[in-house]
Amino acid sequence: MSQTVLILGGGVGGLVAANELRKALPKEHGIVLVEREASFVFAPSFLWLMTGGRTAGQISRPLARLEKKGIELVRGEIERIDADKREAVVNGRALAADFLVIALGAELAPETVPGLAQAGHDFYTLAGAEALRDALARFVGGKLVVLTAAPAYKCPAAPYEAAMLLEYHCRKRNIRERTQIDLYAAEPGPMGVAGPEISKAVRQMVETKGIMYHPEHQVKEADAEARVLKFASGAQAPFDLLAFVPPHRAPRVVSEAGLVGGSGWVAVDRQTMETTHERVYALGDIVSVPLKLGKPLPKAGVFAQAEAEVVAKNIARAITGKGKPAAFDGEGECPSRTSQGTIRRAATGSTQEGPPR
Ligand SMILES: Cc1cc2nc3c(=O)[nH]c(=O)nc-3n(C[C@H](O)[C@H](O)[C@H](O)COP(=O)(O)OP(=O)(O)OC[C@H]3O[C@@H](n4cnc5c(N)ncnc54)[C@H](O)[C@@H]3O)c2cc1C
């Protein structure tokens, strides 16, 4: 009997799941992917786009290409999810399936910090990175501030990489001597989940470039007019140009479906990514996977991809009866570009620790 897999979200995890399932499943089984956007945009390249190294066209691909591969694409906003029924409502239409995969990522919520969206530009969205690129082109020197507005965010390396790329950009434009660069972080140090050695090494890399690093600074308000950040401690930081990572949260539609646990994210089996609902899986930024160290697995595309491969294998096996069971092992690493021609690698996953069984 033919079966249908419904995949919610056409980002990294959703696309990998759809492609892997299409390869593994005979044609009679349907794969339906729902996504609000017309194109997939490769978020890691926002950092290069903001400094002029990429255009939007270079980092985007139309999702309509999925149709040629035999994956049905439904464009629209997911309005409701019913996990018990394995059903989602899109553009007022209910789509039901035998297997449901939720890969809706993390929602960005700059509005939770008063004034933040008005005061600067985020580099976590295409629109934000483009606005920052344009603001950088007008920037002739002054106080450049990079800010993480909450201690946990996807790709723990990104703000550090961004600060170093911005520093390089200022040198290239001969405005470095007139520019003070400060990185205010809500977290206690860079990439804590990678362990103290990597954290120390990244901090050193940042500081060697003359970037002033201020950890444990939780922003509580931004004054766009006075161009000042106000922190919970009472400290303040003036800026001429502000580049920030917004706070993250689970998408509303997932919270309203009652799928979000105490961590603020969807709880899943650490090896199979199955939720507590039968034949309902969640993967990527939307989930929380605790590690042995006590910290959660970082939100990163490398993990969304690996989780999606595991989910696809296990769903294909459940449908066809073929193949071995697959388990997510929590391994991953994150390449970072700090200036022209420099790539440094830092493990962000848990190769040694692994997710506990
Ligand atoms: C600047 C930056 C740099 C990064 N660098 C790296 C890196 O170097 N290495 C790395 O591994 N990771 C990196 N990441 C993180 C990586 O991009 C994410 O972890 C990854 O995209 C997560 O995949 P996902 O499928 O869970 O979510 P996403 O890729 O965010 O996909 C979620 C999809 O769901 C859609 N969606 C959400 N809600 C709805 C709705 N209601 N209706 C319809 N569609 C909806 C969204 O439009 C989106 O397309 C970086 C991220 C950023 C922002």
Side-chain angles (χ1 to χ4, degrees):
M1 206 177 66
S2 76
Q3 308 225 19
T4 303
V5 184
L6 179 60
I7 299 170
L8 306 183
V12 173
L15 284 178
V16 171
N19 282 309
E20 292 300 312
L21 278 162
R22 190 65 290 165
K23 282 187 237 160
L25 287 177
K27 285 271 180 290
E28 74 256 29
H29 303 295
I31 299 163
V32 181
L33 183 140
V34 189
E35 170 59 50
R36 61 156 78 101
E37 304 293 340
S39 294
F40 168 75
V41 186
F42 188 61
S45 294
F46 291 161
L47 302 185
W48 294 356
L49 186 141
M50 77 179 182
T51 47
R54 292 287 186 280
T55 62
Q58 285 172 317
I59 65 169
S60 312
R61 293 291 178 270
L63 288 169
R65 290 179 181 188
L66 292 174
E67 299 278 358
K68 282 194 197 137
K69 297 182 181 178
I71 297 164
E72 186 188 337
L73 173 67
V74 176
R75 270 287 310 285
E77 185 71 22
I78 299 155
E79 293 145 16
R80 200 156 46 77
I81 299 170
D82 187 328
D84 287 331
K85 292 189 187 162
R86 290 181 293 277
E87 192 179 275
V89 176
V90 186
N91 304 332
R93 183 163 71 104
L95 304 171
D98 301 288
F99 293 84
L100 181 63
V101 179
I102 303 169
L104 291 171
E107 191 172 273
L108 302 176
E111 71 282 2
T112 55
V113 178
L116 185 62
Q118 296 72 35
H121 308 286
D122 79 83
F123 47 91
Y124 264 49
T125 59
L126 178 59
E130 285 182 323
L132 181 55
R133 176 199 58 201
D134 297 346
L136 267 176
R138 295 188 298 268
F139 184 64
V140 289
K143 290 186 194 311
L144 172 51
V145 167
V146 178
L147 170 80
T148 64
Y153 43 83
K154 53 185 157 181
C155 190
Y160 297 91
E161 197 177 347
M164 291 188 275
L165 286 170
L166 289 168
E167 194 275 338
Y168 174 67
H169 180 79
C170 290
R171 270 190 283 137
K172 221 172 55 172
R173 286 189 51 218
N174 289 324
I175 56 169
R176 181 67 182 97
E177 280 178 11
R178 312 199 279 278
T179 304
Q180 179 183 319
I181 306 177
D182 289 89
L183 201 172
Y184 288 90
E187 61 274 17
M191 299 169 67
V193 72
E197 274 177 36
I198 287 180
S199 184
K200 197 172 153 206
V202 174
R203 181 173 181 158
Q204 264 169 9
M205 263 161 78
V206 165
E207 289 179 332
T208 303
K209 291 176 186 295
I211 298 166
M212 251 89 75
Y213 183 55
H214 314 272
E216 291 182 309
H217 275 64
Q218 178 55 62
V219 70
K220 77 171 195 331
E221 194 186 331
D223 186 333
E225 219 162 283
R227 291 195 289 196
V228 161
L229 291 174
K230 297 177 183 170
F231 297 96
S233 62
Q236 299 202 352
F239 61 86
D240 296 302
L241 183 57
L242 172 66
F244 66 87
V245 178
H248 296 17
R249 66 180 170 213
R252 185 187 51 82
V253 69
V254 180
S255 314
E256 286 177 0
L259 289 163
V260 169
S263 67
W265 305 95
V266 181
V268 286
D269 180 287
R270 293 159 198 179
Q271 292 190 303
T272 64
M273 316 312 288
E274 259 183 294
T275 67
T276 48
H277 299 262
E278 206 186 339
R279 283 178 280 148
V280 177
Y281 299 78
L283 56 90
D285 290 351
I286 187 72
V287 303
S288 175
V289 179
L291 300 174
K292 270 186 190 159
L293 290 166
K295 294 189 170 116
L297 183 77
K299 298 189 185 308
V302 64
F303 298 122
Q305 174 180 351
E307 291 162 5
E309 285 168 358
V310 165
V311 167
K313 278 195 183 113
N314 288 334
I315 293 178
R317 183 170 181 270
I319 293 175
T320 63
K322 291 181 191 153
K324 290 188 189 141
F328 176 60
D329 63 8
E331 286 192 26
E333 59 175 26
C334 183
S336 297
R337 189 165 186 183
T338 58
S339 64
Q340 199 65 38
T342 313
I343 304 268
R344 292 178 196 271
R345 287 188 165 265
T348 55
S350 55
T351 312
Q352 284 98 11
E353 293 297 326
R357 282 159 197 256

